Amino acid sequence: MTLTALNALTPEQLKETLSTCCGATAWIEKMEKEFPVKDEDALLAAAAKHWHECSEEDWREAFTHHPKIGDLHSLQQKFAATAQWASREQAGTIDASTVILQAFAKGNKLYEDKFGYIFIVCATGKSAPEMLSILTERLKNSPEEEIKIAMLEQEKITALRLKKLLSA
């Protein structure tokens, strides 16, 4: 999609398109007011600005729009609208061994039990063992530290998806 095409979307189409990049309703509503945008840099700057203005509740809402890392069934079923992007983002887990996927399942459960939301990491370019290591390390964080780290990871994911949107 070109920037011109993105700027020309109807409000409903724009909302749907933005929701594939970040699922936080407050972020989408703030972003809608930015259109038309002049260029990719302006789009990315607005996305970051509005993401940082969002509340912790908004961040948690965005996290619910992601499949769990390593949960390929969830990726295919629940997240069909973003499955193509998410599967490429999680490409490092496609060939992961059963042992690694079982470790993800255990780590994901520990993470959710501790923090109350799924493990969020910008998975693009990371192998399954690398992501598992990151998960294991982040389990050591306090809830106050972790929500900020997860928020920054979501920001990276959103920026990548916006860039992919414009290159599609």
Side-chain angles (χ1 to χ4, degrees):
M1 172 178 297
T2 65
L3 187 64
T4 302
L6 182 63
N7 281 329
L9 294 176
T10 66
E12 297 79 23
Q13 291 169 323
L14 180 61
K15 182 177 182 173
E16 179 63 32
T17 299
L18 290 172
S19 74
T20 66
C21 298
C22 177
T25 304
W27 179 84
I28 294 166
E29 289 171 354
K30 291 174 188 201
M31 285 298 294
E32 287 176 299
K33 295 173 185 165
E34 293 289 335
F35 284 84
V37 292
K38 71 175 187 167
D39 57 28
E40 183 178 311
D41 289 340
L43 176 65
L44 295 174
K49 173 182 174 262
H50 292 311
W51 182 240
H52 284 267
E53 293 171 348
C54 285
S55 68
E56 182 176 324
E57 184 178 317
D58 299 326
W59 300 338
R60 288 173 177 262
E61 178 189 9
F63 303 162
T64 67
H65 290 260
H66 292 278
K68 293 177 188 175
I69 296 287
D71 185 351
L72 302 179
H73 178 72
S74 171
L75 181 64
Q76 294 165 345
Q77 297 295 316
K78 185 176 177 186
F79 300 95
T82 59
Q84 182 180 355
W85 282 348
S87 66
R88 277 186 264 156
E89 291 162 358
Q90 292 192 31
T93 63
I94 300 299
D95 296 327
S97 70
T98 302
V99 171
I100 295 268
L101 293 176
Q102 288 172 343
F104 266 120
K106 182 180 178 185
N108 282 333
K109 172 140 180 39
L110 290 171
Y111 187 96
E112 282 186 78
D113 289 347
K114 181 172 182 177
F115 300 115
Y117 51 89
I118 69 164
F119 171 63
I120 298 292
V121 65
C122 184
T124 301
K126 292 178 178 69
S127 68
E130 183 180 0
M131 287 184 281
L132 184 57
S133 175
I134 292 167
L135 170 59
T136 302
E137 281 302 307
R138 285 181 42 196
L139 279 167
K140 298 173 187 174
N141 293 334
S142 70
E144 298 77 21
E145 292 171 312
E146 187 55 30
I147 190 67
K148 291 175 183 156
I149 293 168
M151 179 273 290
L152 292 171
E153 290 298 307
Q154 174 65 53
E155 181 180 12
K156 291 178 199 173
I157 295 165
T158 300
L160 282 171
R161 288 183 175 186
L162 286 167
K163 289 175 186 177
K164 287 177 189 173
L165 182 69
L166 294 179
S167 67

